[in-house]
Amino acid sequence: MAVTSGIASIFCFGLFIFWHLLHSVSAIHTKGALTLDVITFYKVIPKHSFVLVKFDTQYPYGEKQDEFKKLAENSSSARDFLIAEVGISEYGEKENAELGEWYKIDKAQYPAYYMFVNGNIEKPIKYTGEIKADAIQRWVKSKGVWVGLPGCLEEFDALATEFLDAATKDEQTKVLEKAEIMLSKTEEPNKKSAEHYHKIMSKVLEQGVGFISKEIERISKMVANTKMSDAKKQDLQKRLNRLSSFQAKNTEKDEL
């Protein structure tokens, strides 16, 4: 009887610890991200210009969650842009399940990322790319949000947009001249980045806008080389980030 009682006590203690840990985890949120539920979702989304929401299991973990943590921290400097997460439960009270049903998100799609623009709850933009922080940030940037990607300079990103909007080569040349003036005033550690912006503009003037996509493809293949050092890969990622500044902004809504 004493042995049985001891086993029962250990079992009960184990259940208590498990319950405590489970509820402790539920209290933890990702740094830099808002945790939304079925009530706060409808209060927060309509009040902001850009909100990127991750729909996921209630207790996510692993590499994809690590990428989300990195994304949330790296995007902290972005203005008018929020990152949020919605945890969906399939059991018990099925918390936030109705949001998953509304946007037709199956658990096989977790984590699912949706961008809500100008408070439009009805038609968010679905992210369909690789679940990597850098890739998601470049996608967000393509929607018109400045997120301060590594290696990027805000004033030169603004010039990149002006360069893209230029209707003629003469207008592009004038933007290039502005870049030259800004480059001459840029100091370390931003000098190298500024020089790359200037080089991209020069290449586009010489070869046309097609240079951007070709260069992105070329560098992306280099980044995929697993034999490359981490330092070299980081440098190439920064090049990709700057190149993404020259991609046309696309705010069209994808179908859910």
Side-chain angles (χ1 to χ4, degrees), residues 22-254:
L22 185 62
H23 284 76
S24 295
V25 169
S26 66
I28 297 173
H29 70 277
T30 303
K31 183 179 179 181
L34 290 175
T35 300
L36 301 178
D37 57 36
V38 72
I39 296 175
T40 57
F41 181 87
Y42 294 103
K43 291 183 177 181
V44 170
I45 302 298
K47 294 181 179 179
H48 295 86
S49 300
F50 297 95
V51 184
L52 180 66
V53 180
K54 176 177 74 76
F55 294 89
D56 205 344
T57 179
Q58 207 165 26
Y59 307 108
Y61 63 92
E63 292 183 7
K64 291 183 178 180
Q65 180 63 11
D66 290 340
E67 290 297 323
F68 177 68
K69 291 177 181 177
K70 189 189 303 182
L71 172 68
E73 290 189 23
N74 291 349
S75 302
S76 60
S77 62
R79 296 187 296 273
D80 299 322
F81 175 61
L82 291 177
I83 290 183
E85 56 186 334
V86 173
I88 300 175
S89 174
E90 295 183 292
Y91 308 103
E93 297 181 1
K94 295 187 176 182
E95 293 182 44
N96 305 319
E98 65 183 78
L99 288 174
E101 293 171 3
W102 175 257
Y103 294 110
K104 299 178 182 178
I105 303 170
D106 185 83
K107 65 179 181 180
Q109 298 175 312
Y110 293 161
Y113 287 84
Y114 287 81
M115 172 82 88
F116 294 84
V117 181
N118 295 326
N120 190 338
I121 288 180
E122 300 292 330
K123 295 181 179 180
I125 310 169
K126 184 178 180 180
Y127 175 71
T128 58
E130 185 182 17
I131 306 300
K132 293 289 185 182
D134 289 341
I136 297 172
Q137 279 186 291
R138 286 194 291 271
W139 178 78
V140 167
K141 189 175 180 179
S142 75
K143 305 306 174 188
V145 182
W146 192 83
V147 290
L149 292 171
C152 290
L153 305 174
E154 187 171 8
E155 61 272 25
F156 278 89
D157 274 354
L159 270 187
T161 299
E162 187 178 344
F163 185 82
L164 282 178
D165 292 341
T168 66
K169 277 200 170 185
D170 286 342
E171 290 180 5
Q172 287 182 330
T173 300
K174 290 179 181 178
V175 178
L176 179 62
E177 290 171 354
K178 287 184 184 179
E180 289 173 351
I181 294 172
M182 288 174 58
L183 175 58
S184 67
K185 297 178 180 179
T186 303
E187 300 178 351
E188 298 296 347
N190 296 329
K191 191 78 171 180
K192 184 178 179 181
S193 295
E195 289 172 348
H196 188 217
Y197 281 98
H198 182 270
K199 182 179 179 180
I200 293 171
M201 292 182 197
S202 299
K203 288 291 185 180
V204 170
L205 277 171
E206 293 173 9
Q207 303 177 26
V209 73
F211 165 78
I212 302 297
S213 57
K214 290 178 182 178
E215 186 70 355
I216 288 175
E217 182 180 0
R218 183 183 73 85
I219 295 178
S220 295
K221 288 179 179 178
M222 293 173 66
V223 171
N225 184 353
T226 56
K227 295 181 181 179
M228 190 178 297
S229 69
D230 289 342
K232 181 62 177 176
K233 279 190 176 182
Q234 288 177 9
D235 181 63
L236 291 176
Q237 283 287 0
K238 289 178 181 179
R239 286 176 174 269
L240 283 175
N241 291 342
R242 288 188 289 267
L243 282 163
S244 72
S245 301
F246 290 86
Q247 290 182 300
K249 304 297 182 290
N250 179 10
T251 55
E252 292 182 1
K253 310 293 185 295
D254 298 340

